[in-house]
Amino acid sequence: MSLPPLVEPAPELTVDEVRRYSRHLIIPDVGMDGQKRLKNAKVLFVGAGGLGSPGLMYMAAAGVGTLGIVEFDEVDESNLQRQVIHSQADIGRPKAESARDTIKGINPYVNVVLHEERLEADNVKGIFSQYDLIVDGTDNFATRYLVNDACVLLNKPYVWGSIYRFDGQASVFWSEHGPCYRCLYPEPPPPGMVPSCAEGGVLGVLCASIGSIQANEAIKLLAGIGEPLVGRLMIYDALEMQYRQVKVRKDPDCAICGENPTVTELIDYEAFCGVVSEEAQAAAADSTITPKQLKEWIDDGESIELIDVREPNEFEIVSIPGARLIPKNEFLMGNALESLPQDKKIVLNCKTGVRSAEVLAVLKAAGFADAVHVGGGVIGWVNQIEPAKPVY
């Protein structure tokens, strides 16, 4: 569907701005009017990572007047494979500040506003209310539902994107004109079912493909041109080089934008999404050891069986000495239980401790009462015990 422009045009463009944006100005659908609307627009990016990087850079180049950035993380070397707004010299710097400097290098006429804090239920409305449009580039379900619900309650449109390995998705959610994110995904997946990019990986250039779609949709909404992805889900398969669309209809029973909403205010999204299942939390409550404790057990010759529940490609990057690889899925399917020794204490580890806690719950239910897992996982081991080893 075609929608009216989201913002009014700015009074004028300077001579320098006309020169800079000339390739936009000679497009009939954009022209002076559309470029003035971009100049007058205020767009907020949630995250300056894989999707935020190309989105912010292209929106800056396009002449969006004000770009806000919600980001509390610092630049890590592992980010540079895909987060192209940051450079080697930015490692250790706040991502928001690094992104701001890159934006200013692209277009000094853009006003950049930093929100260097974690987006939460108690601050999201105050931040979102300052902007015309929200672009969501996060990779966790709790924040996605938070962004969606805040946008519905504030009647803000937002452009959503998601990436994982070789697959990407993008859409525009605006409850006034179509479905919201909850209409597409009424409930989050079970804890641990869908790995994050940090656990499953992502092809770096996929970020550019989906991030540029997000920027494209944002420009269309602001200028009132074309047909935005409202009511449509764009799915991209980078391996097969295929795009396809799926229609998304507004759900009359949607919990927040339906005819009789049950969600009328912001909730506890960590609890709603259950980052770790209740069973895993209960299992790990008194069965978690530190990397230093594990090191002591190994040095003392304790009778333990160290099981790494990550994927084989992760195991190749780095592992704890003596660990045996049995991926998490083999435990969930029940295939791995018969290979475990009965005369040794089972010690589980993964990357950070989330997957191993889920497997720990399976073992406890199967009768391995003294099984434990390593809090902080192999990352904690490297940081505390073998700092010369790589992390990912």
Side-chain angles (χ1 to χ4, degrees):
M1 66 177 73
S2 298
L3 296 173
L6 191 58
V7 296
E8 294 297 318
E12 63 179 2
L13 297 179
T14 66
V15 173
D16 290 338
E17 288 172 330
V18 170
R19 282 197 293 261
R20 175 178 288 265
Y21 308 126
S22 61
R23 297 304 186 273
H24 273 178
L25 302 180
I26 59 178
I27 302 175
D29 289 349
V30 181
M32 289 290 289
D33 183 76
Q35 193 62 48
K36 288 178 181 178
R37 293 183 192 277
L38 295 181
K39 179 179 179 177
N40 205 32
K42 297 179 180 179
V43 177
L44 178 70
F45 276 74
V46 183
L51 292 177
S53 290
L56 283 164
M57 293 167 74
Y58 271 111
M59 294 295 277
V64 173
T66 298
L67 289 173
I69 305 172
V70 180
E71 181 61 79
F72 64 92
D73 202 2
E74 294 182 348
V75 180
D76 181 80
E77 192 169 12
S78 66
N79 302 148
L80 302 183
Q81 164 257 5
R82 65 202 177 281
Q83 299 181 17
V84 293
I85 203 167
H86 312 297
S87 69
Q88 182 74 20
D90 295 316
I91 293 176
R93 294 185 65 202
K95 283 186 180 179
E97 296 179 12
S98 169
R100 175 200 60 202
D101 293 349
T102 300
I103 290 170
K104 285 297 186 180
I106 293 172
N107 190 344
Y109 304 121
V110 176
N111 175 38
V112 183
V113 181
L114 304 186
H115 304 275
E116 296 184 79
E117 54 190 308
R118 184 186 295 272
L119 196 66
E120 296 178 336
D122 60 358
N123 65 7
V124 63
K125 285 187 176 180
I127 295 174
F128 281 15
S129 62
Q130 304 172 45
Y131 296 90
D132 304 302
L133 175 68
I134 312 300
V135 181
D136 180 14
T138 58
D139 67 348
N140 68 86
F141 289 99
T143 306
R144 288 173 183 170
Y145 281 97
L146 170 63
V147 170
N148 176 79
D149 292 1
C151 285
V152 171
L153 296 176
L154 294 171
N155 191 27
K156 299 279 185 181
Y158 80 101
V159 183
W160 170 77
S162 174
I163 50 176
Y164 177 68
R165 291 186 175 168
F166 298 98
D167 301 318
Q169 300 180 3
S171 189
V172 173
F173 298 113
W174 194 357
S175 58
E176 181 179 341
H177 298 283
C180 76
Y181 181 77
R182 282 183 185 257
C183 295
L184 178 62
Y185 297 114
E187 299 287 340
M193 181 65 68
V194 180
S196 66
C197 291
E199 293 178 338
V202 62
L203 185 69
V205 296
L206 180 65
C207 302
S209 299
I210 301 302
S212 62
I213 290 175
Q214 290 183 283
N216 182 66
E217 293 304 301
I219 289 172
K220 287 159 58 180
L221 288 167
L222 297 171
I225 59 177
E227 295 189 8
L229 283 174
V230 175
R232 294 183 291 152
L233 175 67
M234 179 67 73
I235 301 172
Y236 174 52
D237 182 336
L239 275 183
E240 300 296 330
M241 189 46 67
Q242 291 183 346
Y243 287 92
R244 62 188 180 94
Q245 291 186 40
V246 176
K247 287 187 177 180
V248 183
R249 302 188 183 280
K250 192 176 184 69
D251 182 2
D253 298 321
C254 176
I256 192 164
C257 77
E259 297 173 358
N260 298 292
T262 56
V263 178
T264 58
E265 59 185 22
L266 301 178
I267 61 175
D268 183 339
Y269 293 91
E270 294 288 341
F272 175 64
C273 293
V275 178
V276 179
S277 70
E278 293 182 3
E279 293 82 4
Q281 292 182 47
D286 57 356
S287 299
T288 300
I289 65 170
T290 66
K292 290 183 178 179
Q293 284 177 284
L294 175 59
K295 181 65 164 58
E296 291 175 0
W297 287 2
I298 294 174
D299 291 345
D300 293 342
E302 294 284 342
S303 181
I304 64 173
E305 181 78 1
L306 180 58
I307 305 294
D308 192 317
V309 302
R310 296 174 297 155
E311 295 301 310
N313 53 326
E314 294 179 89
F315 192 77
E316 289 181 4
I317 299 171
V318 62
S319 63
I320 300 174
R324 177 160 66 102
L325 177 67
I326 305 180
K328 170 188 169 184
N329 194 49
E330 294 189 24
F331 285 97
L332 299 183
M333 296 177 65
N335 301 335
L337 295 176
E338 61 185 23
S339 70
L340 299 181
Q342 299 291 328
D343 58 344
K344 294 182 179 181
K345 178 187 287 288
I346 305 299
V347 180
L348 304 168
N349 84 270
C350 64
K351 180 179 181 180
T352 60
V354 175
R355 283 174 282 178
S356 58
E358 298 288 347
V359 175
L360 181 64
V362 173
L363 294 192
K364 295 284 189 181
F368 291 86
D370 63 346
V372 298
H373 86 124
V374 182
V378 71
I379 300 299
W381 175 273
V382 171
N383 290 336
Q384 299 178 34
I385 309 299
E386 295 188 275
K389 285 189 172 181
V391 294
Y392 64 102

